[in-house]
Amino acid sequence: MPHALSAVAHVVTGAATPTPTPTVDPELVTPGVWGFAIIAFIALAVVLLVADMLRRIRRGRVRADIAEELDAEERAAEQRAAEERDARQRAADTDSAAQDDASDQRPPRGE
């Protein structure tokens, strides 16, 4: 309560009390050499980590592109093999049909 009364008295009388300015040692406020060294180390670590991450992402993309090309080549080879099988099957069917037609036209033996 005494502080409140003295504050009211100062307001009423208009007396200004000087506010003390704190004196702070600049060495305690600035980061100094150690602060700079730590920030520089963190910045260097971040740069190296980002470079490593970009390299890994790029490598992953290249591997995905290569895998996609290999898959496309494999699908094309399978398609060619299936087409060749179909062509051989059609040729075999045509040959067997021709042989059946020829055997139907031959006269029976013994006549």
Side-chain angles (χ1 to χ4, degrees):
M1 190 76 172
H3 296 292
L5 291 177
S6 63
V8 170
H10 285 294
V11 170
V12 170
T13 61
T17 57
T19 56
T21 57
T23 56
V24 178
D25 185 17
E27 284 294 318
L28 297 176
V29 178
T30 62
V33 176
W34 281 107
F36 174 76
I38 290 172
I39 296 297
F41 175 75
I42 290 173
L44 180 65
V46 167
V47 167
L48 292 176
L49 286 172
V50 167
D52 183 56
M53 179 187 64
L54 291 175
R55 183 181 52 131
R56 289 175 187 265
I57 289 172
R58 193 176 312 120
R59 186 184 309 156
R61 286 182 183 167
V62 168
R63 285 182 180 171
D65 290 344
I66 290 172
E68 188 176 312
E69 288 176 11
L70 290 174
D71 289 343
E73 289 176 5
E74 186 176 318
R75 283 191 303 270
E78 288 174 359
Q79 186 177 5
R80 281 192 305 267
E83 288 172 357
E84 289 174 4
R85 274 194 314 270
D86 291 344
R88 281 195 302 264
Q89 184 64 37
R90 281 193 302 271
D93 289 345
T94 304
D95 288 346
S96 66
Q99 287 177 358
D100 289 342
D101 288 343
S103 66
D104 290 340
Q105 292 176 359
R106 283 189 217 159
R109 291 186 186 200
E111 287 185 19

